[in-house]
Amino acid sequence: MAEPSRRKRWPLIAAAVALVVTVATALTLDRDDDTPAQDTTPGQATAAPLTVSTRTYAWDDPQCEAKYLVDRPPAEVAPPVMGQDVPGWVKAHRAVAADEQRVALTVQGTGDEAVVIESMHVGVAGSGPPPAWNAYLGSSGCGGGVETRSFDTNLDAPHPVLAPKAGQRGFPYKVSRTDPEVLYLTAHADTHDVHWYVDLQWNSAGRQGTIRINDHGKPFHTSGSRGRPVYEFLVGGTHWYRDA
């Protein structure tokens, strides 16, 4: 009589195993942006001794500086927003950063040892012609400063590189748990629609590796907008109007 009892237990065991696998998978995918970054160096799988927190739309004043391509007419586009509301606006409109995109990276060590950022390199995951969408621009002419750790890159180039802005010094930089660095990257595109990422090379206490930085699990996305209709929303205005 023991055989029927064993047959009944097998489905329960299989279900329990499936539940464990599902929970483990969910925990693997649900990573916070500030968790220790995983090293992408071949043959290594240990956590890197630093974290990288990413702000994908890091304008001083997004309503004044940011420009986006949106596949909608003006009547279906909400007014521009600022600060922490920008990612939600971009997602709701399926917008693409136009002409240039400013990304802020906060890099901080996680242990007692200092970490040296040796270099950062731009990689292109895909490139093509810009989409034939309308361009939407907040009020122009607001201006903006240049931070002490700012870099430019031209995404139209065959091999984009990061160059320090306004004569600032380049890499290396040193970070620790108590002394982080904020690095600002401004990516420019004129004739291409580009999906891109950044590889950060580090070393610490005899270890070295590379961290891939992107837009919370997917490539950054920046597109040129040359020749597209441009709509502007004045500060204090009530609607988008055709500017060019």
Side-chain angles (χ1 to χ4, degrees), residues 2-181:
E3 186 63 28
S5 177
R6 271 198 299 271
R7 284 200 300 267
K8 291 178 181 179
R9 285 200 300 268
W10 278 114
L12 295 176
I13 294 171
V17 172
L19 177 60
V20 170
V21 171
T22 301
V23 171
T25 302
L27 291 175
T28 301
L29 295 177
D30 188 19
R31 291 187 57 220
D32 188 274
D33 193 43
D34 292 325
T35 54
Q38 293 297 314
D39 200 325
T40 62
T41 304
Q44 297 187 17
T46 58
L50 71 165
T51 62
V52 182
S53 178
T54 305
R55 281 197 297 136
T56 307
Y57 308 100
W59 299 107
D60 290 330
D61 186 345
Q63 187 169 349
C64 292
E65 301 169 276
K67 185 179 183 182
Y68 298 94
L69 287 172
V70 181
D71 190 20
R72 297 186 186 183
E76 297 179 11
V77 177
V81 296
M82 299 178 64
Q84 63 183 10
D85 295 327
V86 173
W89 188 97
V90 169
K91 183 177 181 180
H93 293 82
R94 297 184 179 179
V96 175
D99 299 344
E100 62 182 23
Q101 182 170 2
R102 191 162 177 265
V103 175
L105 308 177
T106 301
V107 187
Q108 185 172 16
T110 58
D112 296 330
E113 300 286 345
V115 183
V116 176
I117 305 171
E118 293 285 0
S119 62
M120 292 200 303
H121 303 279
V122 176
V124 175
S127 180
W133 298 352
N134 293 328
Y136 292 90
L137 173 69
S139 296
S140 58
C142 299
V146 176
E147 291 75 12
T148 56
R149 303 286 187 262
S150 296
F151 301 84
D152 270 351
T153 186
N154 177 14
L155 298 177
D156 290 319
H159 303 287
V161 297
L162 286 171
K165 295 177 66 173
Q168 299 170 55
R169 75 174 181 86
F171 297 100
Y173 293 115
K174 185 180 292 186
V175 299
S176 67
R177 185 163 49 194
T178 58
D179 189 20
E181 284 280 8

Side-chain angles (χ1 to χ4, degrees), residues 186-201:
T186 303
H188 302 268
D190 183 35
T191 59
H192 294 81
D193 175 49
V194 185
H195 293 79
W196 56 284
Y197 57 87
V198 175
D199 282 341
L200 181 153
Q201 295 181 323

